[in-house]
Amino acid sequence: MHTPRSHMAQILTHLAPLTARLRAARPRNPGPTAPPPPHGSAVRSTGRVATPKAERYAKQLCSHATWKTPHAQWTSPHGVIEFPDHMGTCRMTAQPDGLVFTIEAAGPAALARLQQIIGDNIARFGTREGLVVEWATD
């Protein structure tokens, strides 16, 4: 008589190569990998968007970024997104009256690109509120 357990070894033998291929193909989020830019070469910018839903938007931004960046994490009221290729880092803090961003980038071009990415995403997430990030370079 055959029972499901008697076939388990055969099933596992057939599934092992498939499982290995799936594990190799899936993207991994290894955590922070980008070292900070060398001292003196980093540029910074601070942005602010006024909204009573700051925590919601910050959490949404971090969640969205996990698909695109090596590391994005939200732990209320703070979040961080590390962009690939040592492009830079965005730190955010949700406050009762708004969301504050601090971007540190490898150079002026990377800073402009990160401001655009963060600003576009916040504008898209907050379309109903008409959200716009106001940036000030440090």
Side-chain angles (χ1 to χ4, degrees):
M1 178 169 129
H2 293 293
T3 64
R5 285 190 177 191
S6 66
H7 294 289
M8 188 58 69
Q10 289 176 326
I11 292 170
L12 291 176
T13 300
H14 290 290
L15 289 178
L18 177 61
T19 304
R21 282 189 300 222
L22 288 173
R23 284 187 181 144
R26 79 175 169 200
R28 297 189 182 222
N29 190 352
T33 58
H39 182 68
S41 66
V43 291
R44 294 182 84 170
S45 180
T46 303
R48 179 166 175 74
V49 61
T51 177
K53 300 176 186 174
E55 190 162 328
R56 174 182 176 254
Y57 291 120
K59 183 178 178 183
Q60 186 176 6
L61 184 62
C62 287
S63 178
H64 174 70
T66 59
W67 294 98
K68 313 239 181 218
T69 63
H71 177 72
Q73 181 178 358
W74 172 253
T75 307
S76 182
H78 303 285
V80 64
I81 300 171
E82 292 181 9
F83 289 86
D85 302 324
H86 309 290
M87 191 176 201
T89 303
C90 176
R91 299 187 190 287
M92 63 199 82
T93 303
Q95 299 176 341
D97 61 341
L99 185 54
V100 177
F101 299 99
T102 303
I103 294 178
E104 188 169 311
L111 179 65
R113 179 69 180 130
L114 295 182
Q115 287 175 331
Q116 179 186 10
I117 290 168
I118 297 298
D120 288 353
N121 280 309
I122 289 297
R124 190 173 73 247
F125 298 155
T127 299
R128 291 183 183 166
E129 288 186 61
L131 297 183
V132 176
V133 181
E134 303 214 2
W135 297 102
T137 304
D138 295 348

